[in-house]
Amino acid sequence: MIAQDRLRDRRIPLAHGSGAIPAVGFGTLIADTAATRHATKTALEVGFRSFDCAERYRNEDAVGAAMREVFEAGRIKREDVFVATKLWNTNHRPERVKPAFEGSLRRLQLDYADCYLIHTPFAFQPGDDFHPTGASGKVIYDLAVTLIDTWRALEALVDGGRCRSIGLSDVSLEKLREIVAVARIKPAMIQVESHPYLPEWDLLDFCREQGIVLQAFAPLGHAMEPKVLEDPVITAIARRVGKTPAQVALAWAVQRGTAFLTTSVTPHRIQENFDIPALPEDALSEIRDRISTSVRFNGVVETGVPGFIPRAR
């Protein structure tokens, strides 16, 4: 069995980028900016070295301030932390990509990003409104730009040197295949919803074939019904190994070869989500073979509208 400390410290090399991404990651989708700053600082001090951000979360300033405070204290070096952020749907036109990227770096107070992802494969009408809608209340999509157009602009960011790798978020296997087929620089990683109720095995197999890291968001099911952490298979394993159901689900994510993102504003939960155990092989087999529930909690892959992000602040 893998030693516990190795599991939480595991890094996955980027075949199509620079360096490696820590498998255990912290997501910054937190509504309150003060809570964002405190949680980010706590996560760094606990040991998290992978952070996921986004222009759309409207809190990059708070994340950047927390990181700057920790870096300047000298306890943690910038080069030891993997920071990813994302291009929002209203900035898919190639001429808008670089300004959006530079805006994120400025808010995060960083000289470079370890990875820049397209937040969703859907382009919205460009402008300052994150969710442009017509008279019917439906999102207005931008039909003047293709995902490949946007990808070419991200490749140019890598050429510029301040973006070390690029990827996609909320992407289907079909859309990922389209990009891989024509990319000059392949995606280093993709970020998708994945947990024991949505293992995405076909997508993961394709990523393995192509040398792409799959990073799972909502790895605990986002506390939605049916609750992943109340599944009898997960809870039985947790009792057997003396850990929480959350730690079991997160360990499963790492041991099957993915990275994950988990978010909390509670210090002991942040610590718990970092201190994951290694599971015995029979536990991994039980999760794969005995869990039959299948559910996607976020319909973003079908519309480009994330279900976990509040519409207004």
Side-chain angles (χ1 to χ4, degrees), residues 127-142:
D128 296 329
D129 184 355
F130 281 123
H131 289 274
T133 54
S136 65
K138 295 182 179 180
V139 170
I140 303 173
Y141 293 93
D142 184 1

Side-chain angles (χ1 to χ4, degrees), residues 148-290:
I148 293 171
D149 294 333
T150 309
W151 188 257
R152 296 294 184 217
L154 263 67
E155 291 176 327
L157 293 179
V158 177
D159 296 337
R162 300 184 72 197
C163 179
R164 296 191 169 180
S165 65
I166 50 180
L168 299 126
S169 176
D170 300 311
V171 66
S172 65
L173 177 55
E174 178 185 9
K175 285 293 182 183
L176 180 58
R177 287 184 186 276
E178 290 179 14
I179 291 298
V180 168
V182 301
R184 175 172 60 87
I185 301 174
K186 287 186 179 181
M189 74 171 187
I190 63 166
Q191 185 185 108
V192 296
E193 177 187 348
S194 187
H195 41 73
Y197 287 175
L198 187 68
E200 293 281 20
W201 289 112
D202 290 343
L203 183 57
L204 179 56
D205 286 343
F206 181 77
C207 286
R208 286 171 174 158
E209 293 169 5
Q210 299 296 325
I212 299 169
V213 176
L214 190 155
Q215 185 180 57
F217 73 79
L220 305 179
H222 211 68
M224 299 177 74
E225 297 286 348
K227 292 184 178 180
V228 172
L229 299 188
E230 293 180 1
D231 186 274
V233 173
I234 299 289
T235 56
I237 293 171
R239 287 192 298 270
R240 193 163 76 237
V241 301
K243 295 293 181 178
T244 67
Q247 288 173 317
V248 169
L250 297 177
W252 169 81
V254 176
Q255 287 179 253
R256 76 187 190 117
T258 71
F260 71 74
L261 295 168
T262 149
T263 302
S264 178
V265 297
T266 307
H268 82 271
R269 290 294 185 199
I270 295 173
Q271 182 73 58
E272 176 186 316
N273 292 341
F274 183 71
D275 290 334
I276 55 175
L279 301 176
E281 290 300 320
D282 62 341
L284 300 176
S285 297
E286 285 179 43
I287 293 172
R288 177 161 188 164
D289 299 336
R290 293 181 53 201

